[in-house]
């Protein structure tokens, strides 16, 4: 078949895989650690991949292990999940335009929007001539596959994976955020967003401590950037 | 059964968080102020995510957060120099794995 819609799909997988390698390093190691913890907490092994598919949000899943093991009531778990994942509401705001052209994969892209995938989608440009939706979907699906595979491996044979060699590999996710920040600085050459976000994070940490740092810092940053509305383009 | 129900509830809440802006602005046009804010959300979020990675560091205790800070600076320097994300991330992560073993 010689249709135009077939050609781009071939082109996006390679670039999408290259873009996702940092996530591969981070998600597979943290996923294995997660699966291992699920089993150690006395939960059945299959809950590890089930959580990774149904919830697919790292911080909330780690929290869920302790809560499930303690038999916490569902309403309370839902509220805690809301607090941890409320930051994702803000992510979508800056993706409204990018996702507006998406059709077939839009629902999946929204479901699969983790911190790391958000970072890649807002910073890495789709390859020349390719459909952006196909590239976004490929990146998102690769990222999720690493997370689900890691959590499955960790739950099934986690005890056999020697951690003394892999210890520190999860730094790849911090490194990914540093790279994405450098690229943001390259494209948005204004001091205000970076200064405001830094001030907001430090302030949130000093006032409220490490718990819920992300959501408080993000809300404070938005309030801060709004104060500069007249001075910024 | 309780486990699966709780996981489903958490999954629904997470999905709702991710879908809220898309549902809210499905029919109506986003206000002008949002047009302004959304431009600066990615740089602010990246700054916050980087700082958030360091929130667990204990600067008062050896090795004083040195592996994390030095490796993150190495990642930034590599990225500015070569502009190859893979080199920056693999290099910085390698340095980190080395530093936490020798320091």
């Amino acid at each position: 078949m010689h249709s135009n819609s077939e050609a781009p799909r071939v082109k996006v997988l390679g670039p999408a895989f290259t873009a996702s390698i940092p996530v591969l390093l981070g998600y597979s190691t943290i996923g294995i650690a997660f699966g291992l913890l699920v089993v150690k907490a006395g939960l059945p092994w299959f809950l590890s991949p089930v959580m990774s598919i149904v919830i697919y949000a790292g911080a909330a899943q780690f929290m869920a292990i302790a809560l499930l093991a303690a038999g916490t009531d569902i309403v309370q778990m839902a509220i805690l999940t809301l607090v941890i994942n409320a930051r994702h509401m803000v992510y979508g705001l800056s993706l409204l335009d990018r996702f507006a052209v998406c059709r077939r994969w839009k629902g999946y892209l929204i479901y699969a929007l983790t911190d790391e995938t958000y970072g890649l989608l807002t910073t890495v440009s789709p390859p020349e001539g390719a459909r952006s939706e196909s590239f976004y979907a490929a990146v998102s699906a690769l990222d999720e596959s690493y997370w689900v595979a890691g959590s499955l491996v960790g739950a099934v044979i986690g005890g056999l994976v020697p951690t003394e060699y892999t210890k520190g590999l999860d730094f790849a996710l911090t490194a990914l955020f540093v790279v994405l920040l450098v690229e943001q600085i390259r494209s948005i050459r204004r001091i205000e967003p970076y200064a405001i976000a830094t001030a907001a994070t430090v302030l949130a940490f000093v006032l409220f401590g490490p718990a819920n740092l992300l959501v408080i810092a993000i809300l404070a940053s938005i309030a801060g950037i709004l104060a500069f509305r007249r001075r910024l383009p | 059964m309780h486990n699966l129900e709780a996981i489903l509830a958490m999954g629904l809440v997470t999905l709702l968080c991710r879908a809220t802006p898309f549902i809210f602005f499905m029919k109506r046009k986003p206000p002008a102020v949002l047009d302004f804010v959304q431009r600066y959300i990615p740089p602010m979020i990246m700054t916050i995510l980087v700082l958030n990675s360091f929130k667990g560091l204990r600067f008062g205790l050896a090795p004083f957060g040195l592996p994390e800070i030095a490796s993150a600076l190495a990642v930034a320097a590599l990225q500015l120099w070569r502009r190859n994300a893979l080199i920056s991330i693999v290099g910085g992560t390698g340095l980190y794995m080395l530093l936490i073993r020798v320091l």
Side-chain angles (χ1 to χ4, degrees), chain A residues 158-181:
Chain A
L160 304 175
V161 178
T163 49
E164 67 260 38
Y165 300 116
T166 56
K167 188 165 174 269
L169 209 52
D170 54 344
F171 186 80
L173 291 183
T174 301
L176 171 65
F177 292 141
V178 172
V179 164
L180 296 175
L181 175 60

Side-chain angles (χ1 to χ4, degrees), chain A residues 22 51 54 56 60 72 81 85 89 99 110-111 113 119 164-165 167 171-172 183 186 194 210 221 226 233, chain B residues 2 7 10-11 14 17-18 21-22 33 39-41 45-48 53 55 79 83 89 93 96-97 101:
Chain A
M51 277 196 264
V54 176
Y56 190 33
T72 314
T81 308
N85 286 333
M89 296 184 187
F99 283 7
I110 292 170
Y111 146 81
L113 198 58
E164 67 260 38
Y165 300 116
K167 188 165 174 269
F171 186 80
E183 290 308 311
R186 263 191 224 275
Y194 311 101
S221 299
L226 279 173
Chain B
H2 168 266
I7 290 169
M10 288 183 70
T14 305
C17 289
R18 289 172 176 161
F22 298 96
V33 62
R39 203 173 315 154
Y40 296 102
I41 288 176
I45 300 273
M46 288 324 143
T47 307
I48 294 168
S53 315
K55 73 176 174 188
Q79 183 65 14
R83 213 173 172 189
I89 289 163
T93 306
Y96 177 74
M97 293 175 76
R101 283 166 176 77

Side-chain angles (χ1 to χ4, degrees), chain B:
Chain B
M1 213 49 227
H2 168 266
N3 284 347
L4 288 175
E5 281 168 7
I7 290 169
L8 195 62
M10 288 183 70
L12 283 175
V13 170
T14 305
L15 183 61
L16 191 70
C17 289
R18 289 172 176 161
T20 297
F22 298 96
I23 296 169
F24 193 81
F25 293 113
M26 201 151 54
K27 292 263 160 64
R28 66 196 105 181
K29 210 173 130 44
V33 62
L34 191 68
D35 218 41
F36 165 80
V37 172
Q38 63 91 19
R39 203 173 315 154
Y40 296 102
I41 288 176
M44 294 198 299
I45 300 273
M46 288 324 143
T47 307
I48 294 168
L49 286 173
V50 168
L51 294 174
N52 183 65
S53 315
F54 298 135
K55 73 176 174 188
L57 293 189
R58 300 169 77 174
F59 295 103
L61 247 118
F64 313 107
L66 197 70
E68 287 80 6
I69 302 294
S71 308
L73 288 175
V75 172
L78 279 170
Q79 183 65 14
L80 286 169
W81 177 39
R82 301 294 301 270
R83 213 173 172 189
N84 181 322
L86 260 191
I87 293 178
S88 315
I89 289 163
V90 172
T93 306
L95 177 65
Y96 177 74
M97 293 175 76
L98 180 75
L99 288 179
I100 56 171
R101 283 166 176 77
V102 296
L103 286 182

Side-chain angles (χ1 to χ4, degrees), chain A residues 9 13 21 65 71 75 78 82 89 102 109 121-122 162 173 178 214:
Chain A
R9 190 177 289 181
L13 253 186
I21 291 178
I65 296 176
V75 176
L82 181 66
M89 296 184 187
C102 299
L109 292 172
L121 297 192
T122 51
L173 291 183
V178 172
L214 280 176

Side-chain angles (χ1 to χ4, degrees), chain A residues 60 63-64 66-68 70-85 212, chain B residues 2 5-7 9-11 13-14:
Chain A
M63 174 193 77
L67 297 180
L68 286 178
T72 314
D73 130 89
I74 290 182
V75 176
Q76 199 183 329
M77 290 185 72
I79 292 171
L80 287 168
T81 308
L82 181 66
V83 174
I84 289 191
N85 286 333
N212 307 321
Chain B
H2 168 266
E5 281 168 7
I7 290 169
M10 288 183 70
V13 170
T14 305

Side-chain angles (χ1 to χ4, degrees), chain A residues 42-228:
Chain A
L43 297 167
W45 66 270
F46 61 84
L47 285 186
S48 175
V50 166
M51 277 196 264
S52 290
I53 293 169
V54 176
I55 306 174
Y56 190 33
Q61 285 180 231
F62 275 99
M63 174 193 77
I65 296 176
L67 297 180
L68 286 178
T72 314
D73 130 89
I74 290 182
V75 176
Q76 199 183 329
M77 290 185 72
I79 292 171
L80 287 168
T81 308
L82 181 66
V83 174
I84 289 191
N85 286 333
R87 67 181 187 282
H88 289 131
M89 296 184 187
V90 178
Y91 294 2
L93 288 181
S94 58
L95 287 169
L96 289 174
D97 287 346
R98 279 190 184 79
F99 283 7
V101 295
C102 299
R103 292 284 171 266
R104 188 202 244 171
W105 295 103
K106 190 171 181 179
Y108 175 72
L109 292 172
I110 292 170
Y111 146 81
L113 198 58
T114 60
D115 293 338
E116 291 74 14
T117 302
Y118 170 77
L120 289 177
L121 297 192
T122 51
T123 314
V124 182
S125 304
E128 201 75 33
R131 282 193 60 213
S132 54
E133 178 175 15
S134 314
F135 179 70
Y136 296 158
V139 169
S140 303
L142 285 168
D143 286 358
E144 183 177 12
S145 72
Y146 307 146
W147 180 245
V148 175
S151 58
L152 179 65
V153 168
V156 178
I157 54 161
L160 304 175
V161 178
T163 49
E164 67 260 38
Y165 300 116
T166 56
K167 188 165 174 269
L169 209 52
D170 54 344
F171 186 80
L173 291 183
T174 301
L176 171 65
F177 292 141
V178 172
V179 164
L180 296 175
L181 175 60
V182 169
E183 290 308 311
Q184 285 293 334
I185 293 171
R186 263 191 224 275
S187 69
I188 299 182
R189 295 177 168 275
R190 296 289 306 219
I191 183 95
E192 290 90 344
Y194 311 101
I196 290 169
T198 304
T201 312
V202 172
L203 201 67
F205 186 82
V206 172
L207 290 180
F208 303 102
N212 307 321
L213 181 63
L214 280 176
V215 64
I216 299 171
I218 289 171
L219 291 177
S221 299
I222 291 176
I225 201 84
L226 279 173
F228 281 80

